[in-house]
């Protein structure tokens, strides 16, 4: 049964200006509550303050199946978003248009850290990496995207003094150390150019970079609406299970809002029998690496 579940999960799996950690704790939309109790010029003044204090988040892989959900949830939370994309025209047809808080910039993680630093610029407060290679006959692609591409993003953040980095990775990246060498999902994902090994080495670079990071390792990714509640475990714990991309996006966005998420690697799946827990509790239950 576990082997079958792991196989099913595998198909889904394919598919810091330096700011203090506390700068992301106050939810952007909280200012709306204060503004609603004011009148006239006070409301206008508060609205201007809200706009000036809005955090801008750079999202790499913004048109991907998980990336576009991250963009949508960031905008819903009151963040401004800079969507880093390879194809600007595709991005404009994929992501919500006519939103003054959404900016498109051309960015390819495989083209080096200098170009990425220009795209991120000095107005981004954090970076979320939701990139992922597309299966092809080029077995070096996972390394170009999931390893070197992520490293390029980290180095671009260091050049721009961006001190908050969220990475969407995968469970089983350290499957060999977990004794999961024969897990069908581990085998399947590594067939295409050792994808999980590439991701693991990128994670290790992030952890050594000095940047305030949260590495999110989801189980098998589903496009369906969420079923069940989020289960969050420490690194190298989960070896099977799945989760809606909507919930993965939610975890990535909430990681910006809670100090409990800092300097941590978390693994997530969804289970119908799991109790609903707050994100403070979920992130707080995981020890720092």
């Amino acid at each position: 049964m576990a082997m079958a579940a792991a196989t099913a999960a595998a198909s889904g799996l394919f598919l810091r200006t330096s700011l203090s950690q506390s700068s992301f704790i106050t939810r952007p939309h909280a200012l709306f509550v204060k503004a609603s109790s004011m009148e006239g010029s006070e409301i206008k003044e508060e609205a201007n303050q809200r706009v000036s204090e809005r955090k801008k988040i750079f999202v790499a892989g913004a048109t991907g199946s998980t990336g576009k959900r991250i963009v949508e949830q960031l905008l819903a939370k009151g963040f401004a978003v800079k969507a880093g994309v390879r194809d600007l025209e595709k991005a404009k047809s994929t992501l919500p248009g006519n939103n003054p808080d959404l900016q498109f910039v051309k960015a390819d993680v495989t083209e080096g850290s200098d170009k990425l630093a220009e795209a991120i610029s000095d107005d981004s407060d954090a970076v979320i990496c939701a990139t992922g290679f597309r299966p092809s006959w080029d077995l070096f692609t996972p390394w170009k995207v999931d390893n070197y591409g992520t490293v390029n993003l980290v180095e671009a953040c260091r050049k721009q003094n961006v001190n908050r980095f969220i990475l969407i990775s995968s469970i089983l990246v350290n499957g060999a150390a977990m004794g999961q060498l024969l897990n069908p999902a581990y085998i399947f994902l590594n067939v295409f150019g050792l994808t999980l090994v590439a991701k693991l080495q990128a994670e290790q670079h992030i952890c050594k970079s000095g940047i305030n990071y949260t590495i999110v390792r989801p189980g098998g990714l589903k496009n369906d609406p969420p079923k069940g509640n989020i289960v969050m475990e420490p690194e190298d714990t989960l070896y099977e299970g799945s989760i809606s991309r909507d919930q993965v996006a939610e975890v990535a966005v909430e990681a910006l809002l809670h100090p409990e998420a800092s300097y941590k690697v978390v693994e997530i799946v969804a289970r119908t029998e799991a109790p609903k827990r707050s994100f403070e509790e979920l992130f707080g239950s995981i020890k720092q690496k």
Side-chain angles (χ1 to χ4, degrees), residues 69-91:
R69 288 168 168 84
I70 291 173
V71 171
E72 290 166 354
Q73 292 199 31
L74 284 168
L75 293 170
K77 285 283 186 179
F79 288 99
V81 177
K82 183 182 288 189
V85 300
R86 291 186 300 172
D87 189 330
L88 291 173
E89 292 306 312
K90 176 185 176 182

Side-chain angles (χ1 to χ4, degrees), residues 1-31:
M1 293 288 289
M3 295 284 279
T7 303
S11 61
L13 276 167
F14 253 134
L15 288 170
R16 289 177 220 117
T17 26
S18 180
L19 295 175
S20 68
Q21 168 182 305
S22 62
S23 65
F24 284 99
I25 308 311
T26 301
R27 289 172 169 78
H29 63 263
L31 290 170

Side-chain angles (χ1 to χ4, degrees), residues 26-281:
T26 301
R27 289 172 169 78
H29 63 263
L31 290 170
F32 284 94
V33 178
K34 182 178 179 182
S36 65
S37 65
M38 299 178 178
E39 294 181 359
S41 61
E42 288 181 300
I43 294 179
K44 184 176 181 180
E45 181 180 352
E46 186 65 26
N48 289 336
Q49 180 183 5
R50 182 175 67 246
V51 171
S52 66
E53 293 182 355
R54 182 171 288 133
K55 306 300 180 185
K56 180 178 287 186
I57 313 302
F58 182 94
V59 180
T63 57
S65 297
T66 301
K68 65 183 180 181
R69 288 168 168 84
I70 291 173
V71 171
E72 290 166 354
Q73 292 199 31
L74 284 168
L75 293 170
K77 285 283 186 179
F79 288 99
V81 177
K82 183 182 288 189
V85 300
R86 291 186 300 172
D87 189 330
L88 291 173
E89 292 306 312
K90 176 185 176 182
K92 292 174 183 178
S93 63
T94 302
L95 295 169
N98 300 321
N99 190 322
D101 294 325
L102 177 58
Q103 174 187 359
F104 298 100
V105 293
K106 189 171 179 59
D108 186 335
V109 297
T110 66
E111 292 185 348
S113 61
D114 288 340
K115 287 187 176 181
L116 284 172
E118 291 177 10
I120 293 170
S121 189
D122 59 359
D123 61 347
S124 296
D125 299 302
V127 168
I128 299 179
C129 178
T131 57
F133 87 101
R134 296 180 183 276
S136 73
W137 293 110
D138 182 359
L139 298 183
F140 198 61
T141 300
W143 292 85
K144 292 177 182 177
V145 178
D146 294 313
N147 184 281
Y148 302 136
T150 302
V151 169
N152 287 337
L153 267 178
V154 172
E155 293 310 303
C157 286
R158 296 175 70 174
K159 290 176 180 181
Q160 292 291 6
N161 294 318
V162 176
N163 196 41
R164 192 71 176 97
F165 194 95
I166 314 292
L167 173 69
I168 307 301
S169 184
S170 170
I171 64 169
L172 282 175
V173 295
N174 203 19
M178 296 169 65
Q180 295 295 315
L181 281 172
L182 298 181
N183 186 312
Y186 186 77
I187 295 171
F188 185 62
L189 285 169
N190 276 322
V191 164
F192 293 91
L194 298 176
T195 306
L196 296 179
V197 178
K199 288 179 179 288
L200 179 62
Q201 291 196 11
E203 287 189 12
Q204 293 169 345
H205 182 85
I206 293 169
C207 295
K208 295 175 182 178
S209 70
I211 290 176
N212 180 351
Y213 64 86
T214 305
I215 297 171
V216 181
R217 296 177 176 175
L221 298 172
K222 292 182 173 292
N223 293 323
D224 302 329
K227 291 182 180 179
N229 293 316
I230 296 170
V231 174
M232 186 176 289
E233 298 290 348
E235 61 183 311
D236 302 341
T237 300
L238 299 174
Y239 57 88
E240 63 180 0
S242 61
I243 188 168
S244 168
R245 293 180 187 272
D246 294 322
Q247 290 170 304
V248 177
E250 186 178 13
V251 171
V253 175
E254 290 291 334
L256 294 172
L257 300 170
H258 301 286
E260 297 88 350
S262 295
Y263 300 101
K264 291 182 179 180
V265 180
V266 301
E267 300 188 340
I268 56 173
V269 294
R271 293 175 182 157
T272 55
E273 73 277 13
K276 186 173 180 58
R277 303 168 68 191
S278 70
F279 281 99
E280 289 89 346
E281 186 179 0

